[in-house]
Amino acid sequence: MSTSRPAAVVVLAAGEGTRMKSATPKVLHDICGRSLVGHVLAAAGELQPERLVVVVGHAREKVTEHLAGVAPEVRTAVQAEQNGTGHAVRMGLEELGGRVEGTVVVVCGDTPLLTGETLRRLSATHSADGNAVTVLTAEVPDATGYGRIVRDDSGAVTAIVEHKDASETQRAIREINSGVFAFDGALLADALKKVRTDNSQGEEYLTDVLGILREAGHRVGASVAGDHREIAGINNRVQLSEARRILNDRLLTAAMLSGVTVIDPATTWVDVTVTFEQDAVVHPGTQLHGATHLGEGCEVGPNSRLTDTLVGAGARVDNTVAVGSEVGPEASVGPYAYLRPGSRLARKAKIGTYVETKNASIGEGTKVPHLSYVGDATIGEFSNIGAASVFVNYDGQDKHHTTVGSHCKTGSDNMFVAPVTIGDGAYTAAGSVITKDVPAGSLAVARGQQRNIEGWVARKRPGSAAAKAAEAAAREPAGEG
Ligand code: UD1
Ligand code: CA
């Protein structure tokens, strides 16, 4: 479908959104890793407009700051008082010099499910039919609150009547105004000057522009959205959760059709920015956020939350929380592991049960299988870190680094007091507190010598169960169980 680029897109986001009952402005609420207005901007961006302006009003400092972060190319126009959608568009056009030649598309900032494809179709109909205005409409099961599309006997759109201003007959109409329009920019600017405020809300209605243009003899058209759910505006947290569900389903459907197995879409949540390769498997209760990428044939979950984490081909990540980490191909993580930012596992590395890592490089084939903390560390290839070891990286003031070489075997219950280096092929004894560097190939033993005080129980705990057990053991001939 070839469409000309619109001269401008105006996004209306000045309203207060009182029904969200939130300290966060409505359009900044998040679904699937993107703000509501961010979703609208992404869809609008697909039209490749020459200019994009967001009309801000309520909580405009927060909204403007957010926009500067996520879409620095976007301009903002301030609508100090919310005098209606027509007034808002007027403020938007003023930011663009008052009058724009070419097509101007208007969308609302609270319709995150709107797709670029629907906008392209609207824009294409608008151009092909040579309309002065084309409104995006939809048939909805319940039209309460929406502006109704009034058509004449020939089916031509004649007006949009707001719910509050509609007659009983008009209220029975189920085709509604989505709030999305394509306009001829010059005609829009002229018509907005004629919009009055003699309606039930005392506002300048953008919808009146349609009737004004039609009465002036201009072509007015409509494009009907295929799926009415796409144009749903978010007004409260129930609708927010419904929209999130729909968007999440869309993302998972696309993933599944591209060859990803999602065992339970109902309990799997993904952000729009997550990417997958073929034959990745996602188990129930898994949340994938940010720039997370699942490589070919890897398996993630159940019950895992991955943020900005790369999972290599064939890797296994089970019951894990990971943030800003890299899991190499065929590596294994969990169950019950926590990879904090800067954790990097090479091929076939293993981070096992109840292990936490942070800013740590784990070399190929190296294993940290049980109950350990590895912070600020570099571990070479094919080493094994004994159970219940701690990389003591913090002296209460500064963080220090530990380096463990390749083919090392460190004993269980070791403390590596950083900064410290264990050379290649070195061993450390169980229970050691390693405070000094260990040369390659050495065995380090850093623990108190064991001392057995014989007969202590019989003397100090006479008559106790322990004493009786010891007595019985003494009677048994050695070597028998
Ligand atoms: C509007 C339409 C209605 C349509 C519905 C679709 C008008 C008069 N009515 O009604 O026909 O069915 O959207 O959801 O246009 N906004 C501003 N400044 C304002 C007023 C609104 O920026 O002064 C923004 C809001 O932030 C919101 C959008 O415009 O993003 C729509 O405003 P809202 O008050 O929700 O309009 P509705 O009454 O729902
Ligand atoms: Ca609304």
Side-chain angles (χ1 to χ4, degrees):
M1 196 183 308
S2 81
T3 55
S4 50
R5 292 170 62 186
V9 173
V10 179
V11 179
L12 306 187
E16 189 174 356
T18 38
R19 284 168 286 172
M20 294 299 283
K21 305 220 165 105
S22 177
T24 302
K26 175 165 84 172
V27 294
L28 300 194
H29 279 260
D30 176 287
I31 62 171
C32 301
R34 200 177 259 167
S35 65
L36 299 184
V37 69
H39 285 288
V40 172
L41 289 172
E46 289 187 36
L47 293 175
Q48 297 186 289
E50 284 163 37
R51 288 180 294 177
L52 234 163
V53 58
V54 179
V55 181
V56 297
H58 181 79
R60 59 180 171 271
E61 298 78 15
K62 280 186 187 169
V63 178
T64 304
E65 190 190 327
H66 171 76
L67 291 171
V70 301
E73 71 285 2
V74 163
R75 304 163 71 140
T76 52
V78 173
Q79 185 195 24
E81 277 178 59
Q82 281 72 68
N83 295 329
T85 47
H87 180 251
V89 171
R90 217 145 54 69
M91 298 301 105
L93 289 184
E94 233 163 62
E95 171 66 26
L96 302 174
R99 193 183 167 92
V100 175
E101 301 293 334
T103 300
V104 174
V105 172
V106 175
V107 295
C108 295
D110 63 356
T111 53
L113 300 177
L114 185 66
T115 61
E117 197 194 326
T118 296
L119 285 178
R120 279 197 297 277
R121 215 178 305 121
L122 170 75
S123 195
T125 303
H126 181 73
S127 309
D129 295 354
N131 291 337
V133 53
T134 310
V135 54
L136 179 68
T137 73
E139 291 265 359
V140 296
D142 178 10
T144 308
Y146 285 106
R148 308 298 205 280
I149 303 295
V150 182
R151 292 178 183 261
D152 66 15
D153 293 341
S154 71
V157 177
T158 56
I160 299 172
V161 182
E162 288 308 296
H163 181 90
K164 287 180 182 153
D165 304 299
S167 67
E168 274 310 303
T169 341
Q170 287 167 333
R171 284 191 180 180
I173 298 171
R174 295 215 337 266
E175 186 183 10
I176 58 103
N177 166 29
S178 67
V180 180
F181 298 87
F183 290 103
D184 175 288
L187 293 174
L188 169 64
D190 291 342
L192 279 173
K193 290 181 194 142
K194 298 180 188 144
V195 168
R196 301 195 314 206
T197 55
D198 54 345
N199 49 55
S200 63
Q201 301 185 82
E203 290 182 352
E204 292 179 35
Y205 287 173
L206 177 63
T207 45
D208 285 355
V209 166
L210 190 136
I212 291 168
L213 290 174
R214 183 180 159 86
E215 269 156 44
H218 296 291
R219 282 187 71 92
V220 168
S223 170
V224 185
D227 182 354
H228 70 84
R229 293 177 310 173
E230 222 188 273
I231 54 95
I234 307 301
N235 294 317
N236 58 44
R237 312 246 189 165
V238 176
Q239 293 166 339
L240 187 71
S241 77
E242 288 164 353
R244 185 180 293 116
R245 174 89 265 163
I246 292 170
L247 187 55
N248 192 63
D249 283 347
R250 261 192 213 162
L251 296 168
L252 291 179
T253 298
M256 289 187 279
L257 293 176
S258 75
V260 176
T261 293
V262 179
I263 304 289
D264 184 19
T267 62
T268 301
W269 294 91
V270 293
D271 283 356
V272 285
T273 39
V274 170
T275 50
F276 303 88
E277 281 171 47
Q278 201 170 309
D279 290 318
V281 178
V282 186
H283 292 279
T286 295
Q287 300 167 43
L288 306 173
H289 297 298
T292 292
H293 175 78
L294 302 196
E296 192 174 332
C298 74
E299 282 193 52
V300 173
N303 310 320
S304 294
R305 174 159 52 86
L306 272 47
T307 304
D308 300 329
T309 291
L310 309 180
V311 181
R316 184 73 183 91
V317 177
D318 185 358
N319 279 276
T320 287
V321 174
V323 182
S325 294
E326 260 180 69
V327 177
E330 296 171 68
S332 151
V333 182
Y336 314 114
Y338 183 16
L339 306 186
R340 290 168 54 205
S343 299
R344 291 180 305 278
L345 279 61
R347 172 181 297 276
K348 292 192 171 172
K350 177 189 171 80
I351 293 298
T353 304
Y354 301 118
V355 174
E356 174 181 340
T357 63
K358 186 217 75 177
N359 187 29
S361 258
I362 315 292
E364 179 173 350
T366 284
K367 296 177 178 168
V368 187
H370 330 276
L371 300 156
S372 294
Y373 172 64
V374 183
D376 297 303
T378 306
I379 309 179
E381 299 176 352
F382 305 104
S383 286
N384 190 86
I385 304 300
S389 292
V390 173
F391 286 61
V392 183
N393 59 332
Y394 186 46
D395 60 13
Q397 197 165 324
D398 297 306
K399 299 283 172 68
H400 302 281
H401 198 86
T402 296
T403 302
V404 176
S406 295
H407 298 281
C408 293
K409 301 252 185 289
T410 67
S412 291
D413 191 29
N414 273 198
M415 301 289 128
F416 300 100
V417 181
V420 72
T421 297
I422 317 292
D424 288 342
Y427 278 53
T428 61
S432 288
V433 177
I434 304 293
T435 54
K436 289 185 284 196
D437 288 355
V438 180
S442 314
L443 166 68
V445 186
R447 63 183 185 213
Q449 288 287 325
Q450 182 171 332
R451 197 156 65 96
N452 294 335
I453 303 169
E454 294 199 6
W456 185 92
V457 171
R459 287 197 304 277
K460 298 289 189 186
R461 301 288 182 269
S464 68
K468 284 174 191 156
E471 228 173 90
R475 280 197 302 271
E476 273 171 30
E480 280 179 33

